[in-house]
Amino acid sequence: MSMQSWLPLLILAGPLTLGLIIFMLPENSVRTRTTLNLLAALIKLGMVGWMIWHVYRGQHFESRIVLMSDFDLAMQVGPLSVLFLGLSSVLWLATTIYAVGYLEGSPHRSRFFGFFSLCVAATAGVAMASNLFTFLLFYELLTLATYPLIVHRGTDIARRAGQTYLVYTIGGGTLLLAGTVWLYTLTGTLEFAPQGGFVRTLGQAHHADLTAIFMLLIVGLGVKAALVPLHSWLPQAMVAPAPVSALLHAVAVVKAGVFGIVRVLYDVFDIEFAAQELGVTTPLAIIAAVTILYGSLRALFQDDLKRRLAFSTVSQVSYITLGIALAGPLAAIGGLVHLVHQGLMKITLFFCAGNLAETLGIHKISEMKGVGQRMPFTMAAFTLAALGMIGMPPIAGFISKWYLGLGALQMEQNWVIWILIASTLLNAAYFLPIIYAVWFCDPPASWPVMRKPTHQETTWALLLPPVATALLSLTAGMLAALSFSPLEWALFIIHSQFWR
Amino acid sequence: MLMLDWGILLIGLPLSGALLTFIFHAQSRWLGIGTALTINGSLAALLMQFFASTGTQRYPIGSWGAPLGIELYLDGLSITMLSMCSLVGLAVSCYAPAYFHMQSADNRASTATDSVPFNKRSGSGPVRQINKGEYFWPLWLLLWTGLNALFLSADIFNLYVTLELIGLSAVALTALAGSQEALTSAMRYLLISLLGSLCYLLGVALLYHAFATVDLTLLAERMTAVPATWASLGLMATGLALKTALFPLHFWLPAAHGSAAAPVSALLSALVVKASFYLLLRLWLTLFEAFNPGVPDLLGLMGAAAVIWGSLQALRQARLKLLVAYSTVAQLGYLFIAFPLAAGHAGAWYGALYLALSHALAKGAMFLAAGNIQLFAGHDQITALERVAQQLPVSLMAFALAGVSIIGLPPSGGFIGKWLLLEAAISQGHWGWAIIILAGGLLAAGYIFKVIGYAFNQATTPHAVQPVPAVMQWSALLLAIGSLLLGLFAAQPLALLAVGSPFHSISLP
């Protein structure tokens, strides 16, 4: 086999093997574990970078292993996979550094990092899967690998959050399985077809079946994508440590759900077929719009910082679904680019929330008055990301909203503009008071003493990742017109794959 | 002709092993493990020859042909079951010595602290502890003999003999645990097992009377739709369903599997119930499929009820081993759902057998892991399983990975099996069966993760715990990994199953 067919397998096998090795490491071999983790993250980043370059020049990477007759474990790296793969490998590096600092001195780190690596492997599999069967396989693997991370703390609350998570995700997975098998009995194939899907050939008689299958698949994926009313697991899973929240909200889980929706709409059904023949995209857009408003409304009333951020995720992730479901190229660009932008901004916010909790023991928004003086860099990163979420230019979030708005006008769906305006106002309503309190209110007389006193506001491992991701989200917005920016890549996907 | 030798060795080896371990009981541990290894070796040789020749094999023992002598018969279905036995058998053989060693150490410790020694009544001077390990080996190897012989036999009387051998050694193994509970359930198991065999024997007698042969192939040629056929179908199906613990005839299973020693529970759940299922399937495929008075639907309905009822009961259990035992009731139900589905889609048989295969590995792993957890904590109350994840990670991993296969999540053998069953159901538009299949998976997720969730709990007050030897932990984990690998390498086992087209279908799923 050539390099082309080895690389996807390597990207998958790397973190998988790493996870298994880390399980075997004794608890106190901190240095070996950290080195291995960082090395693996860097190597993966390098490989993904190499692939991005070659995909840009029109090459594809494909690996295929026969599982049963008719069923292959098939992975293919094209422009769309690279978008998700690139995001997850950049954020994996950031989260690894953060997690090393965050978990310093806490028990069961071998277990934590082992499952963490398995999550990354599963995410890579989700991104690269080139048929629905393989997608399903890694999608479920992701569920299993995240569960131990959610219950990591071993408290009763954590156990219940884990239970809720499983009820939702395994329930969703079951529906996804049913839909997939049904689809297979009709089509006899599950290979993704970026040029027009693979269900068109079925003919008029099967449209009712196809609509039902579409619903099964979307509900199954909608659980992880946190579409209302399937979102409740996400705020509950907040009990997990901050790096896990980052993983759930930005790197892996919700993104896998949304990415699946993109795959189903484009590579299984074909967006035009779904929009015009089946007429299923408008209901999906409406659900996404409801989710956007509902998530923002709920976020408004949370005092717990991480819960507010969680509801904000519910809302923000649905921008992606909305953009895709509008079934026009410009809106799709807005949706796809938000996949990256939301990841960058939301991971910054969660890192900052984790810093507050770890350094000063702050969990509630009402305790955040004046904290900007105590932790200026953390809070600057937080402010940048929050402003981006609201959609302020030139931060990344603005680009997403701009293209979503343009796309809505292009498809003559003017109601979406109102949704975007309302959501932006709500975003401002739940982020601006925090920013005001942080910078302009008087701090309390004294701050709690840090666990490990340093010269900076907190340890380097905790401080660098949020600052870096905040800067990245600023750069992604400011340099959006450069090639290899997320926006240009989204344009490239739309040009090369979907609209011919 | 060489094939013959390997096939007969598979019966002869465990039989001689049983005798040797009984006579030289002091060395039983090494003799037993040695026997297990040689059985696996000859199975590997048999598999290699089987792949080289690719076809069904028939061996007249002592060159006496079918009507007079005994014939062994080998096709893809039987060799798959033989492999299943060997894999689980090897893992349990590695596990059992350490387990019984720990148990007897436990007993010695407890009798030392008790004021009244436990077996003072024996009155034979210094107390000689019964080493259960010494009794385990002959019984288990006898059971293995029965299993291998059953999968190789081709006439219904011979099958009866093997069935009885399996039943009796399984009952004795259950009683080996020695507790009040185990003895009661073993007694009940004995009666049920005898009743089942008796029903089967009556069926054999009827068939022999009507068609004057006990050879499966000859019977298949001669059978006609006469009352004896219907009666024997009813009797044999009832007897075998009783032995396979098909709902509502499952009542004996949870107590027996839940109270036996951990390695024995693993054998009972993984292999013994599969043997009677295999026999029912074999009879169905060769003899009764042509005479079809609605039996498949009945079996399917009972299977569906088993899936739902068994899973719900498993959810309600407070004790780990009972939970796992009820899970067996539920998973056996899946095998019977294939009967109504296979009429229109032979893929359902592949699905059911793949489920049987992966369930054997997974459930074996699960009982072994449960045994570890029980030894570690000194109890198996699910809600009090704190710190297992922290201190017994390998065993919990084994339990969790086996659970993945039981639930039917990818990548696992259970997933492939369920996929094939689902495909058979949906392609024929049988939505009811499809919903049962899916619902069973959801319920299984419920009871498996209930255990895992509690196992992650941090202890508020540390309890006394006992370390578990590595060999016991790893044999459980390797079995569980085997059930996952079945999901990643499905093409080969499925192709093996199809050799000799036991399901009258040339199409592979």
Side-chain angles (χ1 to χ4, degrees), chain A residues 8 43 47 58 62 160 344 360 475:
Chain A
I43 290 174
M47 290 199 286
E62 192 170 2
R160 277 197 294 275
L344 290 173
L360 302 174
T475 327

Side-chain angles (χ1 to χ4, degrees), chain B residues 232-283:
Chain B
S232 60
L233 170 59
L235 282 167
M236 288 170 142
T238 313
L240 293 172
L242 194 60
K243 276 175 171 280
T244 318
L246 176 59
F247 180 90
L249 307 173
H250 68 285
F251 50 88
W252 56 270
L253 185 141
H257 290 200
S259 63
V264 175
S265 307
L267 292 173
L268 295 179
S269 256
L271 304 179
V272 174
V273 286
K274 304 284 163 37
S276 43
F277 172 76
Y278 161 85
L279 184 49
L280 182 59
L281 180 64
R282 180 65 90 187
L283 293 176

Side-chain angles (χ1 to χ4, degrees), chain A residues 23-24 66-71 73 107-108 111 115 118 133 136-138 140-141 144 147-148 151-156 159 163 166-167 170-171 174 177-178 180-182 184-185 190, chain B residues 389-390 397 404 407-411 415-416 418-420 422-424 426-427 431 438-439 441-442 445 449-450 452-458 474 487-492 494 508-509:
Chain A
F23 280 135
M24 304 287 168
V66 179
L67 209 66
M68 301 192 255
S69 45
D70 292 348
F71 291 103
L73 193 69
H108 314 307
R111 184 179 83 199
F115 281 113
L118 292 188
F133 185 77
L136 182 73
L137 204 143
F138 287 112
E140 296 288 1
L141 198 62
L144 293 176
Y147 173 77
V151 297
H152 181 74
R153 291 212 164 120
T155 56
D156 259 345
R159 189 172 54 78
Q163 225 164 32
L166 282 177
V167 167
I170 292 193
T174 305
L177 173 68
T180 310
V181 177
W182 192 0
Y184 179 72
T185 59
L190 291 171
Chain B
Q390 285 78 19
M397 198 62 164
V404 166
I407 299 168
L409 289 174
F415 173 70
I416 302 282
K418 274 191 189 165
W419 177 285
L420 293 173
L422 263 183
E423 197 188 317
I426 295 179
S427 68
W431 285 101
L438 292 170
L442 284 179
F449 279 104
K450 178 180 155 192
I452 297 176
Y454 279 109
F456 266 90
N457 269 12
Q458 307 274 17
W474 281 94
L488 287 175
F489 302 95
Q492 294 83 352
L494 284 173
L508 256 177

Side-chain angles (χ1 to χ4, degrees), chain B residues 29 94-103 375 469 471-472:
Chain B
R29 182 174 184 168
C94 295
Y95 179 93
Y99 178 85
F100 286 113
H101 181 73
M102 271 190 81
Q103 279 236 315
L375 279 182
V471 63
M472 290 169 67

